[in-house]
Amino acid sequence: MSERRGGEGGAGVLPEAAVRVAGWCVVVLLVTGVAWVTVWLCVLFKAAVIPVLLALLGTALLTPLHRRLLAMRVQRSLAAGLTCAAVLVVVGGATYIVVVALVDSGDQIVASAKQAAQDVAGFFGAAGTTLDDLASNARGLFGQFGGTAASGVISGLSVVAQGAAMAVLAVLLVFFFVRDGDRVAVSLRTMAPGPVGEMTEAIGRRAYRAVEGFMRGTTLIALIDGVLTTVGLLILGVPGAAGLGALVFIGAYLPYLGAFVSGVLAVLVALADRGFAIALWTLLVIFLVQMLEANVLQPVIQSRTVQMHPAVVLVAITAGATVGGIIGVLLAVPATAAAFGIVAELRERYAGGGGATAAPAGPPGEPAP
């Protein structure tokens, strides 16, 4: 009898727990290898991948407008064209306002930055240090710790031309994604046979809905931040308040980094034109707006879509900056939101073996690029 039990239960050399751990290690290694190869291929073909990813973000943001136009019986291609035109007008107008405001205050900002640098250097006992010295040191630090992000800022005309080409390609892809999003959803089902195709479509829809909700929530939060910042700067009499508010709106799509850059510029403009006291009040306005965003707007608005812990956001931003610089920072958080959506879909399908009773993926006509 003991020999039979040994033959049945001791057929393996390792205990059952060790076999399970080894199995999970193999799964983790396979997933890590696939992820690494995917990231490597994305970096290798970044000239094509970046416009596609940016177009997906734009499509997720513009899909509600396209649906509304379709509900008004606008022809599909015309609705997609009007949607793309609307985003071009909004983005172009915001960029123009920011550029005009910064150009008008550029000399004052530079003068204030030089004076501030001299004051800080004198306070720390380096009275001979100039802004140029600090800039040189900063470039050296960027070269050590943030060369990928810094290279995108200080590169030459070729990079600018490449960026313009990718922007044009992204706009064209937005048009096709918005117009033919439902066909993409059907294609996801036909990529794999049987239940696998259905699951692929459901995962694609869930990931797309997560990105769509994140982009919609981020845009609403950015709009509120921009309006509140503009009102505060107008009350303080800071020049270029509209441009600085538009910069806050644009910077909200770069978590933490965008808020820091826009806040620093607002304080510098206030310091240059209104003096130290108004600069402090400007800093207080920026701080209060960011506190409102972190403690009220983010929990209330983003909780309805995909709510991520700030630590997860920071890790995603760091990884994105390491891989893709500024573009990586822009894409990291939406990609993480999509991953959260995929995990949620898989958990709903397979928790308790309820794959057959999973929640429906969404309306059949819902676009899911």
Side-chain angles (χ1 to χ4, degrees), residues 59 76 176-186 365-369:
T59 304
R76 179 176 292 271
F176 291 114
F177 286 169
V178 169
R179 189 190 67 176
D180 303 326
D182 52 346
R183 300 177 184 176
V184 177
V186 175
E366 180 183 347

Side-chain angles (χ1 to χ4, degrees), residues 126-260:
T129 304
T130 64
L131 183 64
D132 296 333
D133 298 330
L134 296 179
S136 300
N137 295 332
R139 282 194 295 268
L141 292 176
F142 272 121
Q144 295 178 11
F145 302 105
T148 305
S151 62
V153 179
I154 62 175
S155 56
L157 294 176
S158 60
V159 175
V160 175
Q162 183 182 7
M166 289 193 296
V168 172
L169 178 58
V171 173
L172 294 176
L173 289 175
V174 167
F175 172 81
F176 291 114
F177 286 169
V178 169
R179 189 190 67 176
D180 303 326
D182 52 346
R183 300 177 184 176
V184 177
V186 175
S187 299
L188 289 176
R189 179 186 290 269
T190 59
M191 286 174 60
V196 178
E198 179 185 355
M199 185 182 67
T200 303
E201 180 186 359
I203 289 176
R205 288 186 181 276
R206 188 63 174 263
Y208 178 74
R209 287 204 303 270
V211 176
E212 181 182 350
F214 173 81
M215 292 298 295
R216 186 169 61 246
T218 300
T219 301
L220 180 57
I221 293 172
L223 181 61
I224 296 174
D225 287 352
V227 170
L228 293 179
T229 302
T230 302
V231 171
L233 296 180
L234 286 174
I235 293 175
L236 295 175
V238 177
L244 294 172
L247 184 62
V248 171
F249 173 79
I250 296 174
Y253 291 97
L254 296 175
Y256 302 109
L257 178 62
F260 173 77

Side-chain angles (χ1 to χ4, degrees), residues 62 65 79-89 171-172 174-176 178:
L62 298 174
L65 176 59
L82 292 175
T83 303
C84 294
V87 72
L88 287 176
V89 170
V171 173
L172 294 176
V174 167
F175 172 81
F176 291 114
V178 169

Side-chain angles (χ1 to χ4, degrees), residues 46-97:
K46 61 181 179 180
V49 172
I50 290 177
V52 172
L53 296 178
L54 292 178
L56 287 175
L57 296 185
T59 304
L61 182 60
L62 298 174
T63 297
L65 176 59
H66 184 254
R67 292 183 190 142
R68 184 159 299 183
L69 291 175
L70 292 179
M72 297 169 60
R73 300 184 182 278
V74 180
Q75 198 268 343
R76 179 176 292 271
S77 296
L78 179 59
L82 292 175
T83 303
C84 294
V87 72
L88 287 176
V89 170
V90 173
V91 174
T95 304
Y96 175 78
I97 293 174

